[in-house]
Amino acid sequence: HNLAVTENGKLLSWGQGETGQLGHGSAVVAEAMPRQIVALAGKHVNKVACGGQHSLALIDGEVSRRGHGTLFSWGRGKN
């Protein structure tokens, strides 16, 4: 699977997604074309990473107890 961030911080994903790593819901097994991840719409994504069956996104501008940015993860986090 693949992740891409647009110039204005929108997050897109496509490829194989059997374990939810695309972020489009558990019923989506594959996406041939890049599609925005709706759950993160309105947030500015700064950095992303893909694992074998999971995805990560760092969101700008949100402050937590430990610093700036919020990390989101989805999919199967075993590899």
Side-chain angles (χ1 to χ4, degrees):
H1 74 288
N2 303 284
L3 296 174
V5 180
T6 66
E7 288 181 3
N8 53 356
K10 291 181 183 177
L11 181 56
L12 310 172
S13 70
W14 69 100
Q16 298 294 349
E18 295 87 3
T19 60
Q21 66 265 44
L22 294 179
H24 303 302
S26 60
V28 177
V29 176
E31 284 287 341
M33 300 294 292
R35 181 172 149 200
Q36 184 177 5
I37 298 177
V38 176
L40 296 178
K43 299 188 180 295
H44 189 272
V45 176
N46 183 2
K47 295 182 181 183
V48 296
C50 295
Q53 296 179 338
H54 64 278
S55 300
L56 302 167
L58 182 63
I59 306 302
D60 273 344
E62 298 181 14
V63 179
S64 67
R65 293 181 332 185
R66 297 182 185 197
H68 295 278
T70 301
L71 181 66
F72 289 86
S73 65
W74 57 96
R76 184 175 180 190
K78 289 191 173 189
N79 56 351

